[in-house]
């Protein structure tokens, strides 16, 4: 049975993900560092030491083929894809082999602009529509994984 792993540091859709995991009978794991520690009914919590990419490394070492990973980190999403997992962001966008290179390049370009002293606009304020879109995409992904595993 697939597991849903959540990069839980600052993830706005933890409760929605746990609810959907229960509906599909998937195991759910929250992975967070000591500064973002959280516990929720219906999910196992793994707490790691604070440090750059500490959560990412623990998560990628646990992900298995067909697991779902909720993250906004493009680098982590790329590693999940390499392990045949299914990364999805908090807005319901699926990371795929077709879009990950472009996303990583955009991140690299934005980092270069910031390092040169430039400023970029931050993300839009989270809306109820964002949550609804996430839930729809997550349910569709869970259905697809259930079908794959039943074959």
């Amino acid at each position: 049975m697939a597991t849903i792993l959540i990069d839980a540091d600052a993830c706005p859709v933890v409760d929605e993900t746990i609810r959907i995991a229960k509906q599909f009978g998937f195991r759910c794991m929250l992975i967070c560092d000591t500064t973002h520690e959280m516990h929720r009914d219906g999910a196992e919590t793994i707490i790691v030491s604070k440090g750059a990419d500490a959560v990412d490394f623990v998560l990628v070492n646990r992900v298995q083929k067909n697991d779902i990973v909720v993250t906004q980190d493009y680098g982590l999403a790329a590693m999940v894809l390499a392990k045949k997992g299914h990364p999805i962001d908090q807005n319901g966008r699926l990371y795929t082999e077709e879009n990950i290179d472009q996303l990583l390049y955009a991140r690299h370009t934005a980092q270069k602009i910031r390092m040169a002293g430039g400023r970029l606009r931050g993300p839009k304020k989270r809306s109820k529509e964002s949550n609804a879109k996430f839930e729809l995409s997550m349910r569709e992904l869970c259905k697809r994984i259930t079908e794959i595993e039943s074959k």
Side-chain angles (χ1 to χ4, degrees):
M1 179 59 64
T3 299
I4 299 176
L5 300 104
I6 303 172
D7 180 0
D9 293 347
C11 179
V13 291
V14 170
D15 294 331
E16 293 84 351
T17 303
I18 294 169
R19 186 174 61 253
I20 294 168
K22 285 180 188 177
Q23 291 170 357
F24 283 88
F26 290 179
R27 182 175 170 216
C28 190
M29 298 174 77
L30 307 175
I31 304 175
C32 53
D33 70 27
T34 54
T35 60
H36 299 97
E37 186 173 333
M38 70 172 67
H39 299 275
R40 297 286 196 287
D41 288 339
E44 176 184 347
T45 299
I46 298 170
I47 301 164
V48 302
S49 299
K50 182 180 172 186
D53 301 322
V55 168
D56 297 351
F57 291 124
V58 169
L59 194 151
V60 82
N61 283 320
R62 289 182 175 270
V63 72
Q64 302 288 317
K65 182 179 179 180
N66 289 326
D67 284 348
I68 297 170
V69 175
V70 180
T71 185
Q72 25 188 335
D73 184 313
Y74 300 160
L76 176 58
M79 290 186 283
V80 169
L81 286 169
K83 292 190 78 173
K84 306 295 184 209
H86 302 274
I88 183 172
D89 77 6
Q90 73 280 2
N91 296 317
R93 174 179 51 194
L94 297 173
Y95 299 101
T96 65
E97 296 294 340
E98 290 74 35
N99 68 12
I100 196 65
D101 287 340
Q102 179 183 355
L103 294 168
L104 288 168
Y105 182 74
R107 180 182 76 169
H108 173 73
T109 301
Q111 185 178 24
K112 284 174 57 176
I113 291 169
R114 286 190 300 273
M115 299 262 306
R119 300 192 72 162
L120 301 169
R121 289 194 308 180
K124 291 187 253 180
K125 186 176 178 189
R126 186 129 190 104
S127 68
K128 289 181 182 180
E129 291 80 22
S130 298
N131 288 349
K133 185 177 176 188
F134 169 79
E135 289 189 40
L136 179 65
S137 292
M138 178 59 94
R139 280 194 180 87
E140 289 173 3
L141 180 56
C142 288
K143 285 179 195 173
R144 194 172 70 202
I145 300 303
T146 300
E147 290 170 3
I148 289 169
E149 290 189 336
S150 68
K151 292 180 182 179

